[in-house]
Amino acid sequence: MDDTPIHDIAATLASPVNDAHTPQELVNACLKKSKALLTFVENNAALALAVLEYPQLDISPFARHLFTLTAFAKLNHFNDHFLQHIVAAHVAAYYWQQSGQSKSEKKAFVRFLFDNHLTLWRHILSLQKVLFNSQALKHIASVKLNSLQRFALLASVFTYAIEKHTAQTLISYLTPLLPTNDRHMLNVPLLIMDTPLPGSRVYYKAHPAVVVDLQKAHVLISVPSLPEEKEAMWVAKEEVLRPRHVHVDFSQFIALHRACELERTVRGGGPFFAGAYAIQKPPLALLTIIDTLQKADIDINALCEQVERTPAFSHFLMSTASQDNRLRLPVTHLKQAILTYGLERVGDMLIQFALMERLTQHTYPLLSISKQFTHLSCAIASQLVALSDTKLTPQSASLLTTFVCAPLFTLPGLKVASQLPVSDSHYFQIHRTFKVKAQVPWHTVAGELAANWHQGATWRALIHNAGKRHHDVPNSLKKEHAIIQLAFGLAREALFPLPHPDEDSENTKSALLRTLSLSQADITLLLNRLSDYLFCPFPLTELN
């Protein structure tokens, strides 16, 4: 076997797991292999993609399978922690297929997975007989599969069936067979099929060239026959032509990849595998806008210029203002949108928008229901402010509720769960609503995030008190505390109702309503107005 980084990591993946004597040790060993692969792909995207370009590359089919699976998952924006467990589950399934261990040992391992809520591992293990061969093609359309299992089999199909069929043939065959909800999975194979991957022979200005690296919209090519240009240069994808799907010898590609190390290091442009934006700090453009909004004398025109530098911000404000004005007239100017809400509210809206974009940037099983719970909680908080006398605005209440809901998107344990671990009581106690094992309390996670996003001391104190019973909260924060607790609890009550009311929760709810001078009839009307948030046409959990 050649001595290249790809062959090294492939050998690591295919090597047997010999030192795992207990289920816990096996899980840890599989996670370690998975982490090694994901680290390699993160640091060597071009080499990882080259595996897909070279069907006859001298690596084990299983290693090729994991490279394909990881590439597909990365392009589908899977959360890294979630993806690590998916890959590790494949390693475990391969281990059981190859090891010849007894049924009792496998049952003990499955029981361990059940006891530790590693449901997705069990789903992958159930595919063991068809996951590592071309039989996946016959079973991928089965109605018995969930989305995660179908995704795993899709990677299998494009690993083992690709030896006998072209990518075009496989996509044509699968398109009418896959359920409508899962047909989007074919977008990634189509993208890869249409992209000149590293190692591909292409033409640039009628000169033969080789793709050495790539980004989302650009490719690094080596063009030895073009004297007036650099031998290696970045060009737009549409500037290269690939009339035939051919590639250079793998050793030649590796040599070019090493020779172009300096050219591969560039700033700007989007990576082919989208990177993760930091959740623990706001984007720099938003910080500039916040600083401007905190000035005593604000120049509206200067503020508009700052917002326009981030098209997502300006589009969000104009589209929202178009929906919120009484006559529903389209807002075409950013200044008009800002004046519609006022400077204070615009700041809260932009922070909430950017925060939700960061929290939801990657896919995992509970993303859909977490978003629905957060949106419903925020809508309830805004409505409660309209019914109460409080220092909160609807926008600030919605923003604070988003911070309180943020642990749904950040706690590692929720990245691999198949359903939200809702408790059977404590509806209106935020830190006890979900049964999550974490070293840091729920409200502390939310409070630290709020501090990192430059929230004021009063709002941080309010989030800190979210972990207290209502009667223990200072009088100066009682109304605001009641709004946040009610918003969280009512969303929990609406989406996950208990068959029998919990007396403690009912008493807490009554106390919160008394603080705001509201009745149960007011809450009933409020929830009726928010009925759109309670409707979901598809299952609330995805890829489970």
Side-chain angles (χ1 to χ4, degrees), residues 44-334:
N44 304 276
L47 295 180
L49 290 165
V51 174
L52 280 62
E53 180 66 24
Y54 290 85
Q56 305 304 324
L57 185 61
D58 182 24
I59 62 174
S60 71
F62 173 64
R64 179 185 296 280
H65 183 177
L66 293 189
F67 272 109
T68 304
L69 174 74
T70 303
F72 282 15
K74 283 278 191 182
L75 292 171
N76 274 290
H77 304 288
F78 279 25
N79 172 268
D80 283 345
H81 188 73
F82 175 46
L83 176 55
Q84 183 182 0
H85 278 262
I86 293 176
V87 175
H90 278 70
V91 176
Y94 186 73
Y95 165 80
W96 286 111
Q97 185 192 63
Q98 300 294 317
S99 65
Q101 299 289 334
S102 65
K103 290 184 178 180
S104 61
E105 289 177 308
K106 186 173 182 180
K107 285 184 178 179
F109 182 67
V110 173
R111 170 56 59 181
F112 175 83
L113 298 178
F114 180 82
D115 293 341
N116 288 272
H117 309 290
L118 295 175
T119 307
L120 71 85
W121 287 61
R122 291 160 51 209
H123 290 159
I124 298 299
L125 285 176
S126 66
L127 302 174
Q128 178 183 318
K129 292 183 179 179
V130 299
L131 190 57
F132 305 113
N133 54 62
S134 59
Q135 293 298 310
L137 189 59
K138 297 180 180 180
H139 298 274
I140 191 172
S142 172
V143 295
K144 297 180 180 180
L145 300 176
N146 60 35
S147 293
L148 174 59
Q149 291 173 318
R150 186 166 286 109
F151 181 83
L153 289 182
L154 183 68
S156 180
V157 165
F158 280 89
T159 301
Y160 304 101
I162 202 73
E163 297 176 359
K164 295 182 179 179
H165 308 282
T166 65
Q168 294 92 326
T169 301
L170 290 175
I171 291 173
S172 299
Y173 175 77
L174 292 172
T175 300
L177 295 180
L178 295 186
T180 304
N181 290 355
D182 291 335
R183 207 166 288 170
H184 65 89
M185 293 180 184
L186 295 176
N187 291 343
V188 167
L190 281 168
L191 171 65
I192 290 177
M193 185 180 71
D194 193 46
T195 300
L197 298 178
S200 299
R201 288 186 180 275
V202 296
Y203 285 91
Y204 173 71
K205 295 182 179 179
H207 292 267
V210 178
V211 176
V212 181
D213 203 345
L214 78 166
Q215 291 186 334
K216 192 172 183 178
H218 297 82
V219 292
L220 177 66
I221 57 174
S222 174
V223 197
S225 61
L226 202 60
E228 68 272 15
E229 301 282 358
K230 294 181 180 179
E231 185 173 328
M233 56 186 170
W234 287 94
V235 298
K237 278 185 185 178
E238 57 268 20
E239 293 186 49
V240 300
L241 300 176
R242 185 174 58 161
R244 295 179 59 206
H245 197 144
V246 293
H247 49 261
V248 298
D249 182 75
F250 183 69
S251 59
Q252 182 182 350
F253 162 68
I254 291 295
L256 285 172
H257 188 267
R258 289 171 176 166
C260 296
E261 181 178 0
L262 182 61
E263 290 82 356
R264 286 190 285 112
T265 306
V266 294
R267 291 187 178 184
F272 194 69
F273 293 142
Y277 293 102
I279 293 176
Q280 292 300 323
K281 61 180 181 180
L284 183 60
L286 180 60
L287 285 178
T288 304
I289 295 171
I290 294 174
D291 290 341
T292 301
L293 288 170
Q294 291 176 345
K295 294 179 180 178
D297 298 321
I298 300 176
D299 185 342
I300 296 293
N301 293 326
L303 175 63
C304 290
E305 290 180 4
Q306 291 175 345
V307 175
E308 285 174 342
R309 290 171 192 161
T310 306
F313 288 167
S314 57
H315 175 75
F316 163 70
L317 287 178
M318 288 192 290
S319 61
T320 305
S322 298
Q323 297 172 7
D324 282 355
N325 67 76
R326 293 181 179 180
L327 299 178
R328 296 292 179 93
L329 297 175
V331 174
T332 56
H333 299 287
L334 181 59

Side-chain angles (χ1 to χ4, degrees), residues 422-482:
V422 185
S423 64
D424 296 331
S425 57
H426 311 298
Y427 270 30
F428 298 91
Q429 296 178 49
I430 289 172
H431 64 296
R432 301 173 71 181
T433 298
F434 300 105
K435 297 178 288 188
V436 179
K437 294 181 180 179
Q439 295 180 344
V440 181
W442 186 285
H443 60 278
T444 302
V445 175
E448 290 176 352
L449 184 64
N452 293 338
W453 281 67
H454 295 210
Q455 296 303 291
T458 302
W459 294 162
R460 297 201 307 271
L462 183 57
I463 294 175
H464 174 74
N465 281 276
K468 296 182 179 180
R469 300 297 295 259
H470 190 55
H471 56 75
D472 295 328
V473 176
N475 290 331
S476 60
L477 295 175
K478 274 193 180 296
K479 286 187 176 181
E480 292 72 27
H481 180 266

Side-chain angles (χ1 to χ4, degrees), residues 361-388:
Q361 60 186 306
H362 293 303
T363 298
Y364 60 99
L366 298 181
L367 178 62
S368 179
I369 185 59
S370 297
K371 287 170 63 175
Q372 186 179 15
F373 183 90
T374 301
H375 290 154
L376 177 59
S377 299
C378 292
I380 293 174
S382 297
Q383 292 290 326
L384 288 172
V385 168
L387 297 174
S388 311

